[in-house]
Amino acid sequence: MKQIFVLLVCLLWQGLAFAQVDTVQRVQSDRYNSPAQQEKPYVILISADGFRYDYADKYDAQFLKSKRAEGIEAESMLPAFPSKTFPNHYSIVTGLYPASHGLINNYFYDPQRKEHYTMRDRSKVEDGSWYGGTPLWVLAEQQQMVAASFFWVGSEAPIQGILPTYHYQYSEVMPIERRIQTVVDWLNLPAEKRPHLITFYLPEVDHAGHRYGPDAPQTRQAVEELDKHMQLLTEAVANTGLPVNYVFVSDHGMLQVDTENTLPMPAAIDTAKFMVSGGGMVVELHAKDKKAIKPTYRKLKKEAKEYQVYTRKKMPKHLHYSAKDDKYGRVGDILLLSDAPKVFHFSSRPPSPGQHGYDATKVKEMHAVFYAWGPAFKKGIKIETFENVDVYPLIAEILGLPYTFKIDGSRHLIEKVLP
Ligand code: AMP
Ligand code: ZN
Ligand code: ZN
């Protein structure tokens, strides 16, 4: 009897969780491609979250290997610091480093707003005022080119007042077959309503990597399944006969961390004096009173073992995360960066065996993936590692979308991969 009751409660709970997710497509019905944009090619930008730069070879992802051989294969793609999901997805679509676009982490504190942003809070995720820069879909829509998103960080928020013509609220309950069919349906729309830029996002490889670690059989299986889904998507899209280009990326890699000896909250931190945010490999301290910064910094420097301590002003230049880079004033006054494979761990739950967030210039396992193929690209080219902020100018170039504002990305990638 008790078991039946528990089962019923579980089913009801699941049902409620499902009901809270809006799985209906959100459409901006007043959007059309201008006649000039209707002549442009198509780009599907796909992100496989947490797909480490070496996974396709490590786990023999045959379909992806065959596609990269037809087009472009990068040695790896360098994520911005910190190598977390929200900052990096948003860097890829804005060409800006996290401190210049404002999403400096998945969770962070904004001292001016006196508010926390968290990726788990829909009201924040869908509030455009948190997001700087001009995402690719905004750039497209501003130039009368229709864009669609089957998930991407930022795509659910009106940024500069603009949403993609078609998008969905983020949810992990939608079956992949339905998501692929939606992409095909978009590409079968009449030319004036058909999106030329589509973003697509797959979370499963990151989930497996966190839960089981990058070397686990479950992570292999997640990569194999993703490879199959990529094949299904590509074959279904090929039936439309449209000149579609694929840009396959990830946001960061994954490292097996030390879960036995994690780093506790350093004794030098008085939580009455500092707002502490983050954990894992980056801890940010926001002083409630600026006078507390110097003495605490000194104490931490003395105490620090297996982590580095910086003030916002003295953050290493190559991280683009210092006071000078910090456009929205969201970077902490003091930052603690753990040495790989060490992690800070403040909660009572056990730490995940797989994690990411480290400085990718120091930890190769943080590197992301970049493959691209389709009519716009050179064929059978291998290129060196480059920064993910360079993807923005590349996609804007393929779609013929000019812009005059300054970004952090460069045009080097364009010269290497486009004929
Ligand atoms: P992490 O690996 O901790 O950096 O975070 C990855 C998580 O971000 C994934 O597990 C997804 O559940 C979540 N995620 C990705 N895109 C979105 C989105 N648009 N809205 C909310 N959560 C998202
Ligand atoms: Zn991620
Ligand atoms: Zn992750």
Side-chain angles (χ1 to χ4, degrees):
M1 188 64 192
K2 192 175 161 208
Q3 275 160 332
I4 293 174
F5 178 74
V6 170
L7 184 72
L8 277 175
V9 170
C10 283
L11 283 174
L12 187 69
W13 180 253
Q14 267 186 355
L16 279 175
F18 188 79
Q20 279 169 359
V21 177
D22 180 1
T23 57
V24 178
Q25 187 174 162
R26 297 177 175 187
V27 180
Q28 313 302 306
S29 54
D30 56 342
R31 307 276 183 75
Y32 298 89
N33 286 306
S34 69
Q37 301 297 23
Q38 289 175 30
E39 305 304 315
K40 297 277 180 73
Y42 298 83
V43 173
I44 307 184
L45 171 63
I46 300 157
S47 163
D49 199 310
F51 194 104
R52 204 167 73 185
Y53 76 100
D54 60 344
Y55 273 179
D57 295 295
K58 184 175 167 71
Y59 294 132
D60 194 24
Q62 298 209 7
F63 180 75
L64 282 170
K65 281 164 72 180
S66 73
K67 285 295 157 191
R68 75 183 184 196
E70 284 174 21
I72 314 292
E73 171 190 354
E75 156 63 22
S76 66
M77 185 166 79
L78 195 70
F81 179 83
S83 48
K84 292 278 190 181
T85 298
F86 270 54
N88 277 287
H89 275 92
Y90 203 56
S91 282
I92 292 167
V93 294
T94 58
L96 296 171
Y97 295 124
S100 25
H101 63 53
L103 284 197
I104 61 159
N105 209 327
N106 295 341
Y107 308 88
F108 59 87
Y109 179 67
D110 183 320
Q112 267 121 53
R113 292 174 72 135
K114 295 193 170 45
E115 239 186 295
H116 292 268
Y117 175 97
T118 105
M119 66 171 188
R120 302 275 173 227
D121 182 343
R122 300 297 327 159
S123 72
K124 308 283 158 107
V125 167
E126 296 184 13
D127 174 353
S129 69
W130 288 97
Y131 301 81
T134 305
L136 281 166
W137 57 83
V138 172
L139 187 69
E141 301 280 358
Q142 283 171 339
Q143 298 181 34
Q144 263 193 285
M145 174 187 277
V146 172
S149 172
F150 219 131
F151 308 148
W152 201 277
V153 171
S155 66
E156 301 133 285
I159 297 170
Q160 299 174 33
I162 299 173
L163 285 160
T165 301
Y166 314 105
H167 83 276
Y168 284 85
Q169 193 179 49
Y170 185 69
S171 125
E172 295 184 6
V173 300
M174 258 184 272
I176 186 74
E177 292 77 10
R178 185 179 150 204
R179 299 185 55 205
I180 291 173
Q181 187 55 47
T182 303
V183 171
V184 173
D185 292 345
W186 281 334
L187 292 172
N188 281 326
L189 286 169
E192 56 182 22
K193 298 298 276 178
R194 188 187 303 152
H196 283 256
L197 170 68
I198 298 175
T199 68
F200 201 80
Y201 169 79
L202 299 148
E204 294 82 6
V205 170
D206 182 69
H207 289 331
H210 280 298
R211 224 165 144 187
Y212 306 105
D215 306 316
Q218 291 91 339
T219 303
R220 168 188 287 274
Q221 198 189 337
V223 170
E224 286 169 357
E225 273 166 25
L226 180 127
D227 196 47
K228 279 197 208 105
H229 295 155
M230 282 299 301
Q231 183 165 7
L232 285 177
L233 172 71
T234 313
E235 286 173 359
V237 166
N239 290 330
T240 65
L242 293 170
V244 176
N245 298 289
Y246 292 84
V247 178
F248 178 81
V249 298
S250 61
D251 47 352
H252 51 70
M254 192 66 70
L255 178 73
Q256 178 74 44
V257 299
D258 179 354
T259 54
E260 295 294 313
N261 297 297
T262 58
L263 308 173
M265 178 85 80
I269 300 172
D270 179 350
T271 51
K273 292 188 178 153
F274 289 91
M275 185 83 81
V276 182
S277 79
M281 47 296 298
V282 188
V283 176
E284 314 227 5
L285 308 180
H286 287 280
K288 293 176 188 166
D289 176 354
K290 299 281 176 200
K291 282 196 222 100
I293 299 173
K294 248 192 193 159
T296 305
Y297 171 73
R298 283 201 199 111
K299 266 196 225 161
L300 281 164
K301 277 295 261 189
K302 263 195 211 140
E303 197 180 286
K305 242 175 89 189
E306 304 182 303
Y307 65 91
Q308 309 301 314
V309 189
Y310 300 103
T311 60
R312 181 193 0 226
K313 280 192 195 129
K314 294 276 167 65
M315 274 292 271
K317 220 171 147 202
H318 73 276
L319 298 177
H320 308 286
Y321 205 81
S322 73
K324 233 176 76 224
D325 307 296
D326 187 16
K327 190 165 171 208
Y328 296 88
R330 293 173 181 169
V331 172
D333 295 303
I334 302 176
L335 295 120
L336 315 181
L337 274 54
S338 70
D339 300 335
K342 290 283 171 184
V343 286
F344 287 101
H345 192 70
F346 308 145
S347 88
S348 52
R349 279 178 298 148
S352 308
Q355 294 193 39
H356 53 84
Y358 298 105
D359 172 1
T361 66
K362 300 248 161 67
V363 185
K364 181 90 194 244
E365 288 88 343
M366 294 299 105
H367 284 214
V369 71
F370 177 93
Y371 306 143
W373 64 92
F377 294 103
K378 289 183 186 167
K379 313 281 172 247
I381 301 280
K382 279 197 180 179
I383 59 169
E384 304 280 285
T385 300
F386 64 90
E387 293 183 84
N388 67 5
V389 288
D390 294 346
V391 171
Y392 188 93
L394 172 67
I395 294 181
E397 180 79 12
I398 296 171
L399 293 175
L401 297 170
Y403 54 91
T404 50
F405 46 82
K406 249 180 79 82
I407 59 165
D408 296 316
S410 79
R411 293 179 60 85
H412 294 325
L413 184 61
I414 296 176
E415 287 148 28
K416 288 188 186 134
V417 304
L418 300 187

